Short mmCIF file of all heavy atoms in Angstrom, two decimals:
data_model
loop_
_atom_site.label_atom_id
_atom_site.label_comp_id
_atom_site.label_asym_id
_atom_site.label_seq_id
_atom_site.Cartn_x
_atom_site.Cartn_y
_atom_site.Cartn_z
N CYS A 71 0.28 20.80 1.06
CA CYS A 71 0.30 22.26 0.91
C CYS A 71 -1.01 22.88 1.42
O CYS A 71 -2.10 22.49 0.97
CB CYS A 71 0.49 22.58 -0.57
SG CYS A 71 0.51 24.32 -0.96
N ASN A 72 -0.89 23.82 2.33
CA ASN A 72 -2.09 24.49 2.87
C ASN A 72 -2.81 25.29 1.79
O ASN A 72 -4.04 25.33 1.76
CB ASN A 72 -1.71 25.44 4.01
CG ASN A 72 -1.34 24.71 5.27
OD1 ASN A 72 -2.10 24.66 6.21
ND2 ASN A 72 -0.17 24.11 5.28
N THR A 73 -2.05 25.92 0.91
CA THR A 73 -2.67 26.72 -0.15
C THR A 73 -3.44 25.82 -1.11
O THR A 73 -4.59 26.10 -1.44
CB THR A 73 -1.58 27.52 -0.92
OG1 THR A 73 -0.77 28.22 0.03
CG2 THR A 73 -2.19 28.50 -1.87
N ALA A 74 -2.83 24.71 -1.53
CA ALA A 74 -3.53 23.76 -2.42
C ALA A 74 -4.72 23.14 -1.68
O ALA A 74 -5.78 22.93 -2.28
CB ALA A 74 -2.56 22.70 -2.91
N SER A 75 -4.55 22.85 -0.39
CA SER A 75 -5.68 22.30 0.38
C SER A 75 -6.82 23.31 0.46
O SER A 75 -7.99 22.94 0.50
CB SER A 75 -5.24 21.98 1.82
OG SER A 75 -4.28 20.97 1.84
N SER A 76 -6.48 24.60 0.49
CA SER A 76 -7.52 25.63 0.59
C SER A 76 -8.28 25.82 -0.71
O SER A 76 -9.46 26.12 -0.70
CB SER A 76 -6.88 26.98 0.97
OG SER A 76 -6.25 26.89 2.23
N PHE A 77 -7.60 25.65 -1.85
CA PHE A 77 -8.23 25.98 -3.13
C PHE A 77 -8.58 24.77 -4.00
O PHE A 77 -9.48 24.85 -4.83
CB PHE A 77 -7.31 26.89 -3.95
CG PHE A 77 -7.22 28.29 -3.40
CD1 PHE A 77 -6.11 28.69 -2.68
CD2 PHE A 77 -8.24 29.20 -3.61
CE1 PHE A 77 -6.02 29.98 -2.18
CE2 PHE A 77 -8.16 30.50 -3.11
CZ PHE A 77 -7.04 30.88 -2.39
N ALA A 78 -7.81 23.69 -3.89
CA ALA A 78 -7.91 22.65 -4.93
C ALA A 78 -8.47 21.32 -4.44
O ALA A 78 -8.55 20.37 -5.22
CB ALA A 78 -6.52 22.44 -5.54
N LEU A 79 -8.86 21.23 -3.18
CA LEU A 79 -9.24 19.92 -2.64
C LEU A 79 -10.48 19.34 -3.34
O LEU A 79 -10.47 18.19 -3.77
CB LEU A 79 -9.48 20.05 -1.14
CG LEU A 79 -9.08 18.84 -0.32
CD1 LEU A 79 -7.61 18.51 -0.51
CD2 LEU A 79 -9.37 19.07 1.15
N ASN A 80 -11.54 20.15 -3.43
CA ASN A 80 -12.76 19.64 -4.06
C ASN A 80 -12.53 19.34 -5.54
O ASN A 80 -13.03 18.35 -6.07
CB ASN A 80 -13.92 20.63 -3.90
CG ASN A 80 -14.39 20.63 -2.45
OD1 ASN A 80 -14.19 19.65 -1.72
ND2 ASN A 80 -14.96 21.76 -2.02
N PHE A 81 -11.75 20.19 -6.18
CA PHE A 81 -11.41 19.98 -7.59
C PHE A 81 -10.69 18.64 -7.76
O PHE A 81 -11.06 17.83 -8.61
CB PHE A 81 -10.52 21.15 -8.06
CG PHE A 81 -9.96 20.97 -9.44
CD1 PHE A 81 -10.76 21.15 -10.57
CD2 PHE A 81 -8.63 20.64 -9.62
CE1 PHE A 81 -10.23 20.99 -11.84
CE2 PHE A 81 -8.09 20.47 -10.89
CZ PHE A 81 -8.90 20.64 -12.00
N LEU A 82 -9.69 18.40 -6.91
CA LEU A 82 -8.95 17.14 -7.01
C LEU A 82 -9.86 15.94 -6.76
O LEU A 82 -9.80 14.93 -7.45
CB LEU A 82 -7.80 17.12 -6.00
CG LEU A 82 -6.57 17.97 -6.32
CD1 LEU A 82 -5.58 17.95 -5.17
CD2 LEU A 82 -5.89 17.46 -7.60
N ARG A 83 -10.72 16.09 -5.75
CA ARG A 83 -11.64 14.97 -5.43
C ARG A 83 -12.56 14.66 -6.60
O ARG A 83 -12.98 13.52 -6.77
CB ARG A 83 -12.45 15.32 -4.17
CG ARG A 83 -11.60 15.18 -2.92
CD ARG A 83 -12.36 15.52 -1.66
NE ARG A 83 -11.51 15.33 -0.50
CZ ARG A 83 -11.57 16.04 0.62
NH1 ARG A 83 -12.46 17.01 0.74
NH2 ARG A 83 -10.76 15.78 1.61
N SER A 84 -12.88 15.68 -7.41
CA SER A 84 -13.75 15.44 -8.56
C SER A 84 -12.99 14.81 -9.72
O SER A 84 -13.57 14.31 -10.67
CB SER A 84 -14.41 16.75 -9.01
OG SER A 84 -13.44 17.55 -9.67
N LYS A 85 -11.68 14.83 -9.67
CA LYS A 85 -10.87 14.36 -10.80
C LYS A 85 -10.20 13.01 -10.57
O LYS A 85 -9.83 12.34 -11.53
CB LYS A 85 -9.74 15.37 -11.11
CG LYS A 85 -10.23 16.72 -11.55
CD LYS A 85 -10.67 16.67 -13.00
CE LYS A 85 -11.16 18.02 -13.47
NZ LYS A 85 -11.86 17.96 -14.75
N VAL A 86 -9.97 12.65 -9.32
CA VAL A 86 -9.25 11.38 -9.08
C VAL A 86 -10.14 10.42 -8.29
O VAL A 86 -11.08 10.85 -7.62
CB VAL A 86 -7.89 11.59 -8.34
CG1 VAL A 86 -7.03 12.59 -9.07
CG2 VAL A 86 -8.09 12.02 -6.90
N SER A 87 -9.81 9.13 -8.38
CA SER A 87 -10.73 8.16 -7.78
C SER A 87 -10.21 7.58 -6.44
O SER A 87 -10.77 6.62 -5.94
CB SER A 87 -10.99 7.04 -8.78
OG SER A 87 -9.74 6.50 -9.13
N ILE A 88 -9.15 8.17 -5.90
CA ILE A 88 -8.66 7.70 -4.59
C ILE A 88 -8.96 8.77 -3.53
O ILE A 88 -9.20 9.93 -3.88
CB ILE A 88 -7.13 7.41 -4.62
CG1 ILE A 88 -6.36 8.65 -5.10
CG2 ILE A 88 -6.81 6.19 -5.47
CD1 ILE A 88 -4.86 8.54 -4.91
N PRO A 89 -8.94 8.41 -2.24
CA PRO A 89 -9.18 9.43 -1.22
C PRO A 89 -8.12 10.53 -1.26
O PRO A 89 -6.94 10.25 -1.46
CB PRO A 89 -9.06 8.64 0.10
CG PRO A 89 -9.21 7.22 -0.26
CD PRO A 89 -8.76 7.06 -1.68
N VAL A 90 -8.59 11.77 -1.12
CA VAL A 90 -7.69 12.93 -1.12
C VAL A 90 -7.82 13.63 0.24
O VAL A 90 -8.92 14.02 0.63
CB VAL A 90 -8.06 13.93 -2.25
CG1 VAL A 90 -7.10 15.12 -2.24
CG2 VAL A 90 -8.06 13.25 -3.61
N ILE A 91 -6.70 13.73 0.95
CA ILE A 91 -6.72 14.33 2.29
C ILE A 91 -5.95 15.64 2.28
O ILE A 91 -4.80 15.69 1.84
CB ILE A 91 -6.08 13.35 3.31
CG1 ILE A 91 -6.89 12.06 3.36
CG2 ILE A 91 -6.00 13.98 4.69
CD1 ILE A 91 -6.23 10.98 4.17
N GLY A 92 -6.60 16.69 2.75
CA GLY A 92 -5.91 17.98 2.85
C GLY A 92 -5.52 18.25 4.29
O GLY A 92 -5.89 17.50 5.20
N VAL A 93 -4.76 19.34 4.50
CA VAL A 93 -4.30 19.62 5.86
C VAL A 93 -5.18 20.62 6.61
O VAL A 93 -5.04 20.77 7.83
CB VAL A 93 -2.83 20.14 5.86
CG1 VAL A 93 -1.86 19.01 5.63
CG2 VAL A 93 -2.62 21.24 4.85
#
Side-chain angles (χ1 to χ4, degrees):
C71 179
N72 287 255
T73 309
S75 296
S76 299
F77 288 103
L79 214 58
N80 288 336
F81 173 76
L82 285 175
R83 285 180 178 148
S84 73
K85 297 282 180 193
V86 306
S87 56
I88 55 169
V90 181
I91 298 172
V93 284

